[in-house]
Amino acid sequence: MSFERIREKLNILADAAKYDVSCASSGSNRKNTNKGLGNATSMGICHTYTKDGRCVSLLKILLTNHCIFDCAYCVTRKSNDIKRAAFKVQEVVDLTINFYRRNYIEGLFLSSGIFKNADYTMERLVAVAKKLRLEENFNGYIHLKSIPGASDELMREAGLYADRLSVNIEIPTKEGLKKLAPDKHQEDFIKPMKKVKNEIIQYKSEKKIIKSTPKYAPAGQSTQMIIGASGENDMQIMYTSNYLYNKFDLKRVYYSGYIPISYDKRLPMIGTEVPVLRENRLYQTDWLLRFYGFDVREILNPKHPNLDLDIDPKLSWALRNLHQFPVNVNKADKMMLARVPGLGITSVHKIINARRFRNLNWEHLKTIGVKLNRAKYFITCNSRYFETKDYSASKLKEILIHNSTGKHKKAFTGQLALFT
């Protein structure tokens, strides 16, 4: 196989992989002016972040963009007239090792279209990881995309060689999936998630007894949903996420705004992309569920089925529950402090540690780094200065929006006209 053909495949299959956001990636701009292997702009190098905040570069590609399915929302659907390509197992192994040796990457994110059937495709994904681990002694990060419908045996083997596994739920509801991908069934996505969860539980149990027990998917599993393709509201999306977190112990759910790519009557029209701000609000809600102790029904319910675009979900909840405020920072427990708009978990910990030594006033809060431009309307402390006034929810919202300096404020102004 010639170098030019490998580079052509890499361009095609790296470009096709960009629609999968479940490795929390952003495109790299590392260019090779000598036309050598490793031009990140077109060759699939992306970034992800570890738990300790380190930025890790990954080779992000598909094994193939051939697919037996015809999902309306997918650029690699079988009816789409695009250039097709497929890597051999050894080609992916060689690319990964060569990129790693040149210090372009620290790991591999490998997904695939489905050719022949789920097991045939999954077997090849596993073969790549297995060769890297056993033949090349590769200890870098490997993220494999699980293929819906793959056998339990293959899913077990995948977790022995990959750091993280993920299977994309794709569409948040069964109804939406049936409408846009009638050949797929939500049960096929759930089955591998359940297998991975059970294997991780078994591994942790056996590890307590036998220290040499082989690791199984040590970075856990994640999934991704396409939002805006099938008309689900934010409540339906986040209720599905909440179910997946609770049922399968997922590390992350990723939300990918649908970009219209075809003139299919089942899909939104071309030119009606999902606002980035909607993605942002979903991620903020996700964060509140996982780290701030919120129940999904507090934020989204039949009375409030969609998130506000003009304010974040914690502020939206607070304005609907003003009877719970103001909160005394010298007496409130950790979970109530975390519900105060403007107070993050770091600020909450600082307050709890500092108040052990004295009652805090506004100056103390400023000194320890608490940002009061928003929080001051929802808290009291050992001072009368900035004492909370009796604002209505609508008036307080108006004040906070006017004073907002958030990065999305400018973008929101332009988007608002499209949705009012």
Side-chain angles (χ1 to χ4, degrees):
M1 182 66 65
S2 70
F3 169 77
E4 289 301 324
R5 178 55 181 155
I6 290 290
R7 186 165 63 176
E8 182 183 17
K9 285 184 181 183
L10 191 52
N11 280 325
I12 294 170
L13 297 174
D15 184 68
K18 70 185 179 184
Y19 296 99
D20 196 319
V21 300
S22 59
C23 64
S25 64
S26 58
S28 174
N29 194 32
R30 189 196 321 231
K31 295 184 179 180
N32 190 320
T33 56
N34 295 320
K35 298 184 179 180
L37 200 61
N39 187 328
T41 303
S42 60
M43 291 192 178
I45 295 178
C46 66
H47 296 148
T48 189
Y49 294 88
T50 61
K51 288 180 71 173
D52 59 4
R54 290 182 301 111
C55 181
V56 176
S57 297
L58 302 178
L59 174 62
K60 181 181 178 183
I61 54 174
L62 298 186
L63 185 64
T64 181
N65 64 345
H66 291 277
C67 194
I68 62 174
F69 292 113
D70 201 27
C71 306
Y73 48 81
C74 185
V75 71
T76 62
R77 65 190 183 280
K78 67 180 181 181
S79 63
N80 198 17
D81 184 18
I82 59 172
K83 200 168 187 178
R84 306 283 178 172
F87 279 124
K88 296 177 182 178
V89 169
Q90 190 60 48
E91 289 173 342
V92 178
V93 172
D94 291 342
L95 278 173
T96 303
I97 296 301
N98 287 331
F99 273 48
Y100 183 80
R101 285 174 177 163
R102 287 166 173 78
N103 202 32
Y104 293 162
I105 62 168
E106 296 175 75
L108 171 68
F109 177 94
L110 184 62
S111 185
S112 184
I114 302 174
F115 46 1
K116 291 193 177 180
N117 55 58
D119 278 353
Y120 182 88
T121 307
M122 193 70 209
E123 186 177 1
R124 277 145 186 78
L125 294 176
V126 172
V128 171
K130 190 173 183 179
K131 275 179 168 285
L132 284 169
R133 297 298 194 207
L134 301 184
E135 296 180 14
E136 301 293 342
N137 197 27
F138 180 73
N139 289 307
Y141 180 83
I142 298 178
H143 183 154
L144 289 185
K145 185 65 64 173
S146 307
I147 303 300
S151 68
D152 286 350
E153 292 76 14
L154 283 170
M155 290 306 304
R156 169 164 175 73
E157 193 173 14
L160 294 175
Y161 300 110
D163 295 283
R164 172 168 287 187
L165 298 171
S166 60
V167 54
N168 286 355
I169 200 74
E170 298 189 8
I171 300 297
T173 62
K174 286 184 178 181
E175 297 76 18
L177 187 67
K178 185 176 181 180
K179 173 185 174 184
L180 300 180
D183 295 331
K184 290 185 176 179
H185 306 282
Q186 199 173 70
E187 292 75 16
D188 291 335
F189 301 101
I190 298 301
K191 181 184 173 184
M193 287 186 185
K194 187 182 297 184
K195 176 64 177 175
V196 173
K197 177 193 173 183
N198 291 338
E199 288 288 347
I200 291 174
I201 292 173
Q202 183 177 338
Y203 159 70
K204 290 180 178 178
S205 177
E206 292 178 354
K207 183 71 173 176
K208 294 177 182 178
I209 303 170
I210 306 172
K211 297 299 182 183
S212 60
T213 301
K215 291 182 179 180
Y216 185 89
Q221 63 174 326
S222 59
T223 192
Q224 172 182 308
M225 284 186 235
I226 300 169
I227 60 171
S230 45
E232 287 87 3
N233 59 33
D234 294 334
M235 182 181 75
Q236 291 171 298
I237 293 168
M238 292 312 305
Y239 277 35
T240 296
S241 291
N242 189 61
Y243 169 80
L244 295 174
Y245 277 126
N246 293 335
K247 191 75 173 177
F248 303 109
D249 297 331
L250 297 189
K251 293 293 185 181
R252 286 292 302 273
V253 175
Y254 293 87
Y255 308 94
S256 178
Y258 176 67
I259 301 173
I261 55 174
S262 66
Y263 293 96
D264 191 310
K265 292 181 180 179
R266 297 171 292 175
L267 292 165
M269 294 185 297
I270 288 179
T272 58
E273 289 83 0
V274 173
V276 174
L277 193 52
R278 187 184 182 194
E279 281 187 37
N280 181 259
R281 297 296 183 229
L282 290 170
Y283 278 115
Q284 288 174 327
T285 304
D286 185 285
W287 205 257
L288 294 180
L289 302 184
R290 291 192 293 138
F291 300 111
Y292 284 75
F294 279 85
D295 186 291
V296 67
R297 292 166 294 185
E298 294 180 276
I299 302 170
L300 291 162
N301 50 61
K303 288 186 178 180
H304 304 280
N306 288 301
L307 298 167
D308 290 316
L309 288 181
D310 49 353
I311 57 175
D312 67 75
K314 186 160 76 165
L315 177 56
S316 178
W317 173 84
L319 292 176
R320 298 198 305 267
N321 293 272
L322 285 178
H323 61 279
Q324 297 195 36
F325 298 98
V327 169
N328 188 326
V329 296
N330 291 303
K331 297 179 180 180
D333 63 26
K334 176 182 175 181
M335 296 312 295
M336 193 61 212
L337 284 174
R339 290 176 173 238
V340 174
L343 292 187
I345 294 297
T346 300
S347 294
V348 170
H349 287 156
K350 287 181 178 179
I351 289 171
I352 291 173
N353 288 332
R355 74 187 188 185
R356 291 164 52 202
F357 304 100
R358 66 173 302 159
N359 283 331
L360 304 178
N361 59 32
W362 297 113
E363 291 304 317
H364 297 141
L365 292 174
K366 286 182 182 179
T367 300
I368 64 177
V370 175
K371 297 179 180 179
L372 294 174
N373 58 330
R374 177 174 297 193
K376 67 184 180 184
Y377 296 101
F378 298 92
I379 60 176
T380 58
C381 60
N382 191 29
S383 175
R384 294 184 59 83
Y385 180 57
F386 281 157
E387 188 168 341
T388 305
K389 295 181 180 179
D390 188 20
Y391 290 118
S392 66
S394 58
K395 180 61 178 178
L396 190 51
K397 179 179 179 180
E398 180 184 335
I399 292 171
L400 290 170
I401 290 176
H402 177 73
N403 295 334
S404 173
T405 57
K407 63 181 179 180
H408 295 293
K409 184 177 181 181
K410 186 176 180 180
F412 174 74
T413 304
Q415 291 167 346
L416 182 61
L418 299 175
F419 300 96
T420 55

